[in-house]
Amino acid sequence: MVIKVFLASSSGSTAIKKKQQDVVGFLEALKVDYTQLDIACNEENRMWMRQNVPVDKKPTNGIPLPPQIFNEDSYCGDYDTFFDAKEDNSVYAFLGLPPPPGSKEAEQAAKVLGVENGTPAEEPKADGSVDASAEVPVEERNGDAHGEEEQAADEEEVEGEGEGGEEEDVADEETAGDEALAEEEEEAVEETDEANAQEEDEQEEADEDREEEELRQLEDEEAEVQEDEEEEEEEEEEEDMEETQEEEAE
């Protein structure tokens, strides 16, 4: 199985270039065999990529942008799905490849398999101690007299808890204040992250629009070159025809 990564070597979008570098760099770090296919210099590669990206995975304009990743002819995904798989330690599953032994993804798969098959029963304690729930009640071992002593001790403990209640309330209030402050800090961090993410999304959209415009211009240029070639051929045919008519007239 060969992993195919469709790229645009002459892209003017910095965002697309960065995404392509991230994908290629991570595959090389994992030592995954892959092939780069350029859509900027090869019309066949560009048409194949556009035709084989599933319809439900294409953007609203219907033109998928690089990088696009395939396993042979099977579509794996674009940069966003690749990034999500990388964050979840599931890149090999994303690529349709078995994870190598000892990798994080292989360990995760083994844990999931263990949970699905059921976990083994807990082993007995090494020191041979008996669970407290299985012990004989104190009253039955030592008699009612010892039970009365325990009852008195419990009453003293309740009184001590009453005296320390105020201190616990103060500690609880301090803890609640710290938690509220921590929540406010977390909300501020989340708002900042959301703002940064929104800016990045807007930048990516602008880069994608620019890339689409460049691709359209490239297609227009290719169409103009083809028209010029056809016109030159027509002119040469007309000149040949005129020369033939002149020779026949002579």
Side-chain angles (χ1 to χ4, degrees), residues 223-235:
E224 291 177 359
V225 171
Q226 187 174 358
E227 290 177 0
D228 293 339
E229 291 177 352
E230 291 176 354
E231 290 177 358
E232 290 178 359
E233 290 178 358
E234 291 177 358
E235 291 177 357

Side-chain angles (χ1 to χ4, degrees), residues 108-120:
Q108 276 187 343
K111 289 180 180 178
V112 171
L113 183 62
V115 171
E116 291 177 352
N117 295 337
T119 55

Side-chain angles (χ1 to χ4, degrees), residues 131-183:
D131 191 350
S133 61
E135 292 181 357
V136 179
V138 176
E139 289 82 359
E140 293 183 6
R141 290 202 315 268
N142 300 332
D144 294 338
H146 190 67
E148 293 175 356
E149 293 177 0
E150 282 197 348
Q151 185 175 358
D154 291 339
E155 291 175 356
E156 292 178 358
E157 184 176 350
V158 169
E159 292 177 358
E161 289 178 355
E163 294 174 355
E166 294 179 358
E167 296 178 358
E168 290 181 357
D169 291 340
V170 173
D172 291 341
E173 290 177 359
E174 293 177 354
T175 302
D178 294 339
E179 290 177 354
L181 181 60
E183 288 178 359

Side-chain angles (χ1 to χ4, degrees), residues 7-12 17 20 36-42 66 211:
L7 310 172
S9 59
S10 59
S11 174
K17 287 181 178 178
Q20 294 176 163
Q36 295 186 32
L37 299 172
D38 192 0
I39 66 170
C41 301
N42 190 310
E211 176 67 15

Side-chain angles (χ1 to χ4, degrees), residues 161-214:
E161 289 178 355
E163 294 174 355
E166 294 179 358
E167 296 178 358
E168 290 181 357
D169 291 340
V170 173
D172 291 341
E173 290 177 359
E174 293 177 354
T175 302
D178 294 339
E179 290 177 354
L181 181 60
E183 288 178 359
E184 291 177 359
E185 292 177 352
E186 288 179 0
E187 290 176 357
V189 171
E190 289 177 358
E191 291 176 357
T192 303
D193 292 341
E194 289 176 358
N196 293 336
Q198 185 176 358
E199 291 179 0
E200 291 178 358
D201 291 340
E202 291 175 354
Q203 182 63 35
E204 288 182 1
E205 290 178 0
D207 291 336
E208 289 177 358
D209 292 340
R210 184 166 58 252
E211 176 67 15
E212 291 174 8
E213 182 64 25
E214 291 177 358

Side-chain angles (χ1 to χ4, degrees), residues 89 99-100 102-109:
N89 289 325
S103 64
K104 290 183 178 179
E105 191 167 341
E107 292 176 358
Q108 276 187 343

